Amino acid sequence: MTINMESGRLPWTDAPVKMIRHLTDHFKTTVLGDDFRYMPQATTLFIDEDIDNQQIEVFIETMAMELKKEFEIRKQRALTFTELGLFTKSQIESFLTHHTDAQSWAIHYGINGGLGVERSSVRTREVPRGVIPCSSMRNHGVAWAPANDGMEVWLATSKKEGQDWDWDSDIGHESGHAAFAPVPLFVQSANLLKGMLHVDDLTCANDLQPRHIARIVYAFAEIAVVALRGELRQTETGTPIGQKEELLALLRFSHELMPEFGFDRALSVYGHSTGLLDMQNDRAIYEVAAPMMRVIPKFNNIMKSFMAPSVHELKELIA
């Protein structure tokens, strides 16, 4: 395998690492061919210095084969979106491939696993770089560091501490986020485990606070990824949203905020379901995800924000 490796720094800790840039270009000329267009444009592998070259080669070769399988699934499910009349072929292709520069993907191959930090970072003038791990998946997160244009933001991915790579989660799922459903900084900085939309005594969308907006943005990104992968979650709904009542509330509030995107159709379809979505065979997951996928590209300009938008700011952003 001919691939350029250089010395570098892990963005969120500034620790010395080996680094392989432009993995997308490498895969384009090897196993992926034209399917490289489904990859995040900026994909960098950061490697602890104790990882030897043979381990690196095996990782890259396995990652390439996993992505090849991943993209075949993605294309098949994209076809179903068009067959259901939810997108045209050009619209779904645009969603999957025209925004792959929205978030850089940083894969950290650490000797022990994990993101290399004990807790979430807090941004201050004295601490200009850091990473905020996902609350439920501590080896995934969103990182930031100084850059020439002010600040760079990465989707940060590693294997779990003390475990091998989970190719489905660490590469399959995460590649979807970085390519078409990016995760803004404010999503991870909000404590999304405290309170759900339907238990906050909210009566209309105008009552939503920024933390609720953060949860909505997070839900859109997660549901888009699982819908395009056929990825079942062990929840009451089969999706990352745990309960039927909350998913109904999410769709209702989204329709109030963004009435032109088709959330009313999604609400009707899901409202008549049992609540548990068959991710492989049921059209309902496509109906639920489609309006979210129409909105997601609108979030690209707020990827680097530590603060979620207000209702007014969100409406301006969508408009």
Side-chain angles (χ1 to χ4, degrees), residues 1-8 18-23 25-26 29 43-47 53 56-57 60:
M1 177 179 65
T2 302
I3 193 166
N4 293 325
M5 194 179 323
E6 57 189 280
S7 297
K18 295 180 286 191
M19 183 169 64
I20 299 174
R21 302 178 188 267
H22 312 303
L23 272 182
D25 292 341
H26 171 71
T29 59
T43 302
T44 304
L45 178 61
F46 297 92
I47 310 145
N53 288 347
I56 297 168
E57 288 188 12
I60 292 176

Side-chain angles (χ1 to χ4, degrees), residues 75-230:
K75 286 186 287 186
Q76 286 300 313
R77 294 185 68 87
L79 181 61
T80 302
F81 275 101
T82 66
E83 291 172 343
L84 293 173
L86 297 166
F87 293 98
T88 65
K89 288 183 179 179
S90 61
Q91 286 171 338
I92 194 70
E93 177 73 7
S94 174
F95 176 74
L96 290 173
T97 66
H98 289 192
H99 306 284
T100 54
D101 60 345
Q103 188 166 46
S104 300
W105 190 17
I107 305 167
H108 177 215
Y109 191 166
I111 190 70
N112 298 315
L115 292 172
V117 295
E118 293 184 2
R119 59 182 65 87
S120 297
S121 306
V122 177
R123 184 171 184 255
T124 67
R125 290 182 179 179
E126 293 74 29
V127 187
R129 68 178 73 242
V131 62
I132 303 174
C134 174
S135 56
S136 60
M137 191 71 68
R138 302 290 296 175
N139 55 313
H140 301 165
V142 181
W144 71 96
N148 292 335
D149 60 350
M151 185 174 72
E152 178 66 42
V153 171
W154 290 266
L155 186 78
T157 303
S158 65
K159 60 181 181 177
K160 288 184 177 179
E161 290 190 28
Q163 298 187 25
D164 291 331
W165 289 94
D166 181 332
W167 297 105
D168 183 72
S169 173
D170 300 334
I171 299 302
H173 184 91
E174 289 287 275
S175 71
H177 276 303
F180 60 79
V183 182
L185 263 173
F186 64 76
V187 164
Q188 298 293 26
S189 59
N191 189 339
L192 299 181
L193 295 181
K194 286 187 176 179
M196 295 180 288
L197 290 171
H198 72 279
V199 297
D200 279 310
D201 297 323
L202 302 173
T203 58
C204 70
N206 287 331
D207 295 332
L208 294 171
Q209 300 301 309
R211 66 186 176 90
H212 299 123
I213 302 296
R215 188 165 179 82
I216 288 171
V217 173
Y218 170 74
F220 283 14
E222 285 291 330
I223 289 178
V225 171
V226 299
L228 275 155
R229 303 189 73 232

